[in-house]
Amino acid sequence: FAGNSPNPRGPGLSAFGPDVTERFLKETGYALVVRSHQVPSNNDGFFIHHGGKLLTVFSASNYCGLTGNQGAVLVLKPDSSVEAVRHWAPPFERLAEVLIEAPEIAADATPASVRKTRQMQRQSTAGALETQTQAQASGDARVQRLQKEVLSGAARLVVERKAELFAFWEQCDTSPPRGFITKHDWEEGMKAILGD
């Protein structure tokens, strides 16, 4: 459909057609709109709309333990390509087994020392995963498996630290139109919250 119409999700919300997406992209100079907070109609972690110019991404798999949907995160690459990495959260019974607790941080720790501590922890974990992967396979299969593990780990970190990332980015979102940040602010948020 063209234009705007009421959204079936509730009052005060609107749905929009490809013409609205195209007009928005022309006005802002952006190449892509990414939206979220709605399970995609295909029950996948993402859905492509409006000729590839609008993506719905939903990170919560099996939403509320009932929907059976996959979750996904988008990986934006330096060459401007986008990759959707799908995931499925373990059943509630297994969450206690896989949950990673945040490291204890001293009250007087500086942001730089906190970042360094987290970076060291991730490097240690990444090193262990790499060693394990090398022992299991060789060649291209090993590289592909390691890349998948690293991307899955990165996706998990983004989901786990989502509230902190959003809080950082909200501080960067100071000028109209609201709801947008620069790539630089996005990168700084990722570095500050997740580390280098």
Side-chain angles (χ1 to χ4, degrees):
F1 68 92
N4 295 311
S5 67
N7 189 314
R9 293 191 65 209
L13 302 174
S14 65
F16 53 92
D19 58 322
V20 175
T21 300
E22 188 64 38
R23 185 172 63 244
F24 171 81
L25 293 174
K26 283 182 184 173
E27 289 175 3
T28 61
Y30 294 130
L32 176 70
V33 175
V34 179
R35 62 177 297 274
S36 62
H37 203 66
Q38 183 176 13
V39 177
S41 57
N42 62 354
N43 253 11
D44 201 348
F46 74 102
F47 191 76
I48 301 170
H49 311 265
H50 302 175
K53 295 184 178 185
L54 173 69
L55 297 179
T56 296
V57 62
F58 196 73
S59 61
S61 66
N62 197 23
Y63 187 56
C64 295
L66 303 170
T67 60
N69 65 290
Q70 284 198 21
V73 294
L74 292 182
V75 177
L76 307 173
K77 298 183 178 183
D79 66 359
S80 298
S81 64
V82 178
E83 178 184 4
V85 179
R86 293 177 183 90
H87 63 271
W88 176 262
F92 290 128
E93 307 83 52
R94 294 218 35 235
L95 282 178
E97 299 171 29
V98 298
L99 187 61
I100 298 173
E101 294 184 21
E104 291 186 26
I105 299 170
D108 61 343
T110 64
S113 69
V114 171
R115 280 195 303 273
K116 187 66 176 171
T117 299
R118 290 182 178 152
Q119 180 182 10
M120 298 290 283
Q121 290 168 333
R122 280 192 299 280
Q123 287 174 346
S124 174
T125 303
L129 285 174
E130 184 176 9
T131 301
Q132 181 184 26
T133 303
Q134 286 173 346
Q136 292 175 352
S138 62
D140 290 342
R142 180 185 57 83
V143 171
Q144 289 175 355
R145 196 166 27 255
L146 180 59
Q147 286 175 335
K148 185 176 180 179
E149 288 175 8
V150 169
L151 283 175
S152 294
R156 188 185 76 244
L157 279 173
V158 168
V159 171
E160 288 173 357
R161 307 295 300 279
K162 175 173 67 172
E164 293 166 85
L165 287 166
F166 285 173
F168 183 96
W169 291 328
E170 283 176 355
Q171 293 176 0
C172 300
D173 183 18
T174 58
S175 59
R178 298 298 303 257
F180 300 95
I181 59 171
T182 65
K183 180 181 175 188
H184 176 74
D185 288 340
W186 179 85
E187 289 173 347
E188 288 301 308
M190 295 296 280
K191 288 177 185 175
I193 303 303
L194 303 180
D196 296 326

